[in-house]
């Protein structure tokens, strides 16, 4: 890992006394290093570049993660520099939480996952949209 990435990687913590959130794909605390700037990535849904939206929840999550990775790269970052995620799920369930955890592991790899807030919602912006994810990314100060 180059110095600019390692110097902007948030410190992720799961302190004793709190349950282990790793199986659900997140950490409890993210501390941002001094001398960095933040990039805010808008909510990414499961639509493809041509606007196609699968009706399958897992396919939407997988596509939304792919869209998020494109946005992270466009901002000049890497997944290890993501400090915070917010996830919106229509008709949330334990099964959907499991899918989210699996797809986060697929997109982010074995590294500790960022802080995350999951919000169950009745609907999202587009008809048929079941999932949305946004991110806060830590980048080197210019």
């Amino acid at each position: 890992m180059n110095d600019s990435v390692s110097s902007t990687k948030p410190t992720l913590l799961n302190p004793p006394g709190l349950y282990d959130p790793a199986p659900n794909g997140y950490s409890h605390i993210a501390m941002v290093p001094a001398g960095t700037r933040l990039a805010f990535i808008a909510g990414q849904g499961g639509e493809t570049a041509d606007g196609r939206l699968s009706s399958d929840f897992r396919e939407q999550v997988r596509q939304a993660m792919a869209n998020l990775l494109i946005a992270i790269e466009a901002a000049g970052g890497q997944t290890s520099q993501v400090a915070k995620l917010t996830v919106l799920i229509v008709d949330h369930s334990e099964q959907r939480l499991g899918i989210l955890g699996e797809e986060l592991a697929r997109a982010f790899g074995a590294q500790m996952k960022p802080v995350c807030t999951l919000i169950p919602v009745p609907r999202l912006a587009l008809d048929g949209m079941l999932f949305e994810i946004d991110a806060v990314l830590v980048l080197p100060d210019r």
Side-chain angles (χ1 to χ4, degrees):
M1 184 179 303
N2 68 39
D3 287 341
S4 67
V5 171
S6 62
S7 67
T8 59
K9 188 176 173 183
T11 301
L12 302 173
L13 301 172
N14 290 317
L18 297 178
Y19 89 101
D20 180 9
N24 294 323
Y26 72 98
S27 298
H28 284 294
I29 299 169
M31 297 185 313
V32 178
T36 58
R37 62 193 169 99
L38 301 177
F40 297 86
I41 298 175
Q44 300 299 309
E47 62 278 359
T48 60
D50 63 1
R52 188 183 69 75
L53 184 65
S54 171
S55 61
D56 180 74
F57 181 76
R58 183 181 296 275
E59 286 179 24
Q60 282 196 30
V61 174
R62 189 166 289 174
Q63 182 63 51
M65 293 295 178
N67 295 344
L68 182 66
L69 295 178
I70 290 168
I72 290 169
E73 184 177 332
Q78 298 177 12
T79 57
S80 64
Q81 294 169 288
V82 174
K84 171 86 168 79
L85 298 170
T86 303
V87 172
L88 306 171
I89 296 178
V90 173
D91 296 327
H92 175 63
S93 66
E94 292 281 331
Q95 179 188 20
R96 288 188 170 183
L97 179 61
I99 290 170
L100 171 61
E102 291 166 7
E103 294 301 322
L104 279 166
R106 186 174 185 273
F108 281 68
Q111 69 190 6
M112 230 174 138
K113 305 308 177 282
V115 170
C116 182
T117 299
L118 187 155
I119 305 169
V121 296
R123 77 163 271 131
L124 291 164
L126 303 175
D127 289 342
M129 192 174 178
L130 303 172
F131 181 85
E132 187 172 349
I133 185 168
D134 73 24
V136 178
L137 185 63
V138 180
L139 298 171
D141 199 11
R142 295 183 185 186

